[in-house]
Amino acid sequence: MRFIETWIPATLVSTRDLAPGIREFLIRPDGFDGAAYPVGSHINVSVTICGLPETRSYSLVGEASPAGFTIAVRRAEDSRGGSRYMWQLAPGARLDITRPASLLAMDWARQNYCLIAGGIGITPILGAAQALARRGADVTLHYAVRSRKEAAYLDDLAGLLGDRLVVHASDEGDRLDLDALFASLPKGALALLCGPMRMLDGARHAWIGAGHPLPDLRYETFGSSGRLPTETFRVRLKDSNVELEIPRERSMLDVLNAGGFEVMYDCKRGECGLCAIDVVEVDGEIDHRDVFFSDHQKQGNAKICACVSRARGTITVDTLLRADAI
Ligand SMILES: Cc1cc2nc3c(=O)[nH]c(=O)nc-3n(C[C@H](O)[C@H](O)[C@H](O)COP(=O)(O)OP(=O)(O)OC[C@H]3O[C@@H](n4cnc5c(N)ncnc54)[C@H](O)[C@@H]3O)c2cc1C
């Protein structure tokens, strides 16, 4: 059960390899008007995985262009196949996409902006850097990468920001020290971050530790691969004989909904919490992969976000239709 999404037909105009494992796609919707979209916007793309339709989200790179929407996709080898589907597309391919939507709340009235990108997390940050630089804002971008040759858009960013671009390349022994960075920021600074879950966890602790208000750390995640390996686990439904297997390549949410045990959902990224269901018993271990619950709530294991979180072993869950969500 999901909120309705409007799909629009589009054509893949061109592709460009930006770095090993990162490919840029220019996609033009039919009847495209080039209208501006908010910073941090993404589109959803309908992909085919194992013959079935699935959705993957991709951030729009840079500000609006009359040529179409630009996205950059990292090829994830250990994955269910959404990025591999994107990578096999050739110019001229027809696609279904959604209109841009932004999950990043921007505030243009700050004195100081700190942008942080980890790897492919640069995609929503690039447009923010362009918009802030155009407004003459005091902005610095910290870009954490494995190596400079694996970093997408490095030349564009260097041209845009000059020495306000700070690259932290781990193969050069330069790791981003978020504690030191946030401690050095003036009060009232706004941080925008996009990177892996571990980076976000570290950033939250460092941000609070430096005495900044948590709402001033704005972030986007692309989904988490978790602490535990992605493996098959079992879900038992309380007070019934039903026990379901959640295979490696499917989410608990998808298996429950396919089995007719309707679970409400929206973001499918572990952000909105709509698909959270009660956990009654854990025979094994839960791997919370959401950003909805606090660390404390995750330790309590009372609920699980069925869209992204997984487990090892067997978990028993309570009624799946949440009364407050009907
Ligand atoms: C708002 C938003 C913006 C995004 N923008 C970008 C972008 O600009 N560029 C980009 O490359 N990606 C972006 N993503 C991520 C993108 O949507 C896809 O998740 C990504 O392409 C990987 O898809 P996949 O099917 O190849 O991998 P997935 O199967 O989704 O795998 C991703 C990770 O999850 C783990 N995993 C594997 N199976 C499962 C499972 N059953 N359940 C849970 N986890 C599993 C894998 O270990 C892997 O590391 C964005 C995501 C969001 C939500």
Side-chain angles (χ1 to χ4, degrees):
M1 210 188 289
R2 181 166 205 203
F3 297 132
I4 291 165
E5 241 167 7
T6 309
W7 292 92
I8 45 177
T11 302
L12 174 59
V13 178
S14 59
T15 64
R16 180 167 73 114
D17 286 344
L18 301 172
I22 303 181
R23 182 170 291 172
E24 185 184 81
F25 297 76
L26 176 63
I27 299 171
R28 193 178 167 83
D30 293 1
F32 185 56
D33 60 5
Y37 45 75
V39 157
S41 290
H42 69 274
I43 54 170
N44 291 336
V45 180
S46 176
V47 299
T48 306
I49 302 177
C50 299
L52 296 172
E54 288 270 354
T55 299
R56 291 293 183 267
S57 305
Y58 294 103
S59 297
L60 296 177
V61 176
E63 295 186 287
S65 150
F69 295 138
T70 299
I71 61 172
V73 179
R74 186 182 73 85
R75 190 182 161 103
E77 295 298 346
D78 66 335
S79 79
R80 290 163 284 187
S83 55
R84 282 200 302 278
Y85 174 85
M86 294 300 298
W87 269 62
Q88 55 81 42
L89 294 172
R94 296 287 286 161
L95 289 167
D96 285 320
I97 64 172
T98 58
R99 291 184 202 289
S102 179
L103 303 165
L104 265 183
M106 194 56 191
D107 176 349
W108 302 106
R110 301 300 176 106
Q111 296 294 318
N112 186 277
Y113 294 86
C114 177
L115 307 179
I116 304 134
I120 189 64
I122 193 63
T123 50
I125 297 296
L126 181 62
Q130 286 173 334
L132 288 165
R134 190 164 36 76
R135 286 162 190 250
D138 179 358
V139 55
T140 302
L141 166 56
H142 292 265
Y143 189 8
V145 291
R146 266 194 298 236
S147 69
R148 285 174 195 265
K149 71 174 184 343
E150 289 179 47
Y153 300 115
L154 210 48
D155 292 345
D156 308 69
L157 289 164
L160 181 72
L161 296 172
D163 60 6
R164 289 175 298 151
L165 168 69
V166 186
V167 178
H168 303 269
S170 39
D171 71 341
E172 295 167 13
D174 180 358
R175 296 192 77 86
L176 173 57
D177 181 346
L178 289 168
D179 291 308
L181 172 62
F182 292 163
S184 73
L185 292 179
K187 294 290 169 224
L190 188 79
L192 285 187
L193 177 147
C194 186
M197 199 70 83
R198 244 178 326 182
M199 180 187 237
L200 172 60
D201 284 343
R204 279 201 286 216
H205 284 112
W207 191 253
I208 293 166
H212 299 291
L214 200 49
D216 286 353
L217 173 65
R218 315 258 164 106
Y219 57 83
E220 181 160 274
T221 61
F222 287 176
S224 161
S225 49
R227 285 178 303 108
L228 303 176
T230 300
E231 57 183 41
T232 299
F233 66 102
R234 302 188 74 79
V235 173
R236 206 172 283 149
L237 304 189
K238 190 189 171 208
D239 297 332
S240 85
N241 292 325
V242 178
E243 191 171 302
L244 301 165
E245 185 177 276
I246 316 295
R248 199 192 167 281
E249 65 285 355
R250 298 187 73 197
S251 70
M252 185 173 156
L253 177 75
D254 288 343
V255 173
L256 288 167
N257 276 331
F261 308 99
E262 279 195 352
V263 179
M264 293 284 289
Y265 66 93
D266 187 29
C267 74
K268 272 195 164 185
R269 286 186 296 276
E271 288 173 4
C272 73
L274 193 58
C275 67
I277 52 177
D278 290 351
V279 176
V280 179
E281 197 181 330
V282 181
D283 181 7
E285 196 179 348
I286 291 184
D287 188 9
H288 291 283
R289 297 180 175 191
D290 62 279
V291 289
F292 179 72
F293 292 123
S294 66
D295 290 350
H296 183 69
Q297 287 170 314
K298 287 177 184 174
Q299 274 159 20
N301 272 345
K303 283 182 180 287
I304 183 169
C305 279
C307 64
V308 290
S309 294
R310 303 187 64 82
R312 186 175 53 72
T314 302
I315 60 171
T316 306
V317 298
D318 200 351
T319 169
L320 302 173
L321 263 185
R322 297 167 65 225
D324 59 346
I326 299 172

